[in-house]
Amino acid sequence: MSSAEQKPSDMDRELKIDTVEHLEKAPQTEDEKLAREPSLNSLSITRSWWDNRKAIAVATFVNFAAFEYGLDQGTVNGFQAMPGFLMVFGYADPNLPGGFGISTKVQQLITSLVALGMLVSSFLAGPLMLWLGRRAGISIGCLLAIVSTTVQIAVSNAAGLYAGRLILGLAKGFLLTGAYLYMQEVMPASLRTLNYTIFIFWVNFGNLVGSIINNETSVKLDRSSYRTPLGVLYIMAVILPIGFWFLPESPRFLALKGNREGATKALRWLRG
């Protein structure tokens, strides 16, 4: 046999190298095999709104949390001028139109305490939702909204009103952070602009509804003039937790917790 015949060809050496590299890259453990399964990657994500109609419906529902933010903006400035509110939290002054006024300190605290509550809860929402989940964080926001609304309706002194406004700020932080985080993890990338549009729609719609309700109740001369607009906040705070019983947790959150099967099931439901 000649020396040329004994020497392996370049093609044989390349084939051997490719085979070794393939074996080295092959999954060695069960976790690696699961990671390469097509269960998650095989889910088609299309640009069609109709194909993603379930995700869009979920976005419309979850972003309802922003309705509370807009509603409060539309009502809080209006009912501060209502006689029923001024009789309780203002002061009598016959030289003013309507015979009542309100101090700038009260007006400033009514607004700034909400902002303070949102600042605090925005920092707390992230770690808490990483621990309990996105749905739990939104539900906590709804519970705080119910408490804050009840306090604002029931109290008849400035200290109680301040407490209610601070709690409302805490609720807003959880609601807005939770809703936006949940939907960013659920919506297909091609529809996240639509998700933001729906979010802004609910803010503006809440603002409009608040202004209309204020206009209708401003003619009343008792405490119902401002209690009625506040009471509308209960609608969102009750509907959202009930609806979340029928929605899956964020697939990303489930995957972070090691629940690959649950993440796959949730994603298939949302994309179905």
Side-chain angles (χ1 to χ4, degrees), residues 242-260:
I242 294 175
F244 265 115
W245 281 103
F246 304 97
L247 295 181
E249 182 54 87
S250 161
R252 179 177 177 83
F253 172 77
L254 294 173
L256 286 173
K257 293 298 183 179
N259 188 355
R260 184 175 296 275

Side-chain angles (χ1 to χ4, degrees), residues 177-200:
T177 304
Y180 203 73
L181 178 61
Y182 181 90
M183 289 315 308
Q184 287 299 304
E185 295 179 347
V186 164
M187 287 290 278
S190 60
L191 295 178
R192 286 173 187 167
T193 301
L194 174 64
N195 174 65
Y196 184 71
T197 302
I198 296 172
F199 182 88
I200 295 301

Side-chain angles (χ1 to χ4, degrees), residues 83-103:
F85 182 85
L86 296 175
M87 290 177 187
V88 180
F89 302 105
Y91 57 88
D93 188 341
N95 297 319
L96 293 174
F100 289 92
I102 187 171
S103 70

Side-chain angles (χ1 to χ4, degrees), residues 118-137:
M118 290 181 66
L119 177 65
V120 173
S121 60
S122 295
F123 281 106
L124 296 176
L128 191 63
M129 291 183 193
L130 184 61
W131 175 40
L132 297 176
R134 290 35 168 161
R135 296 187 307 172

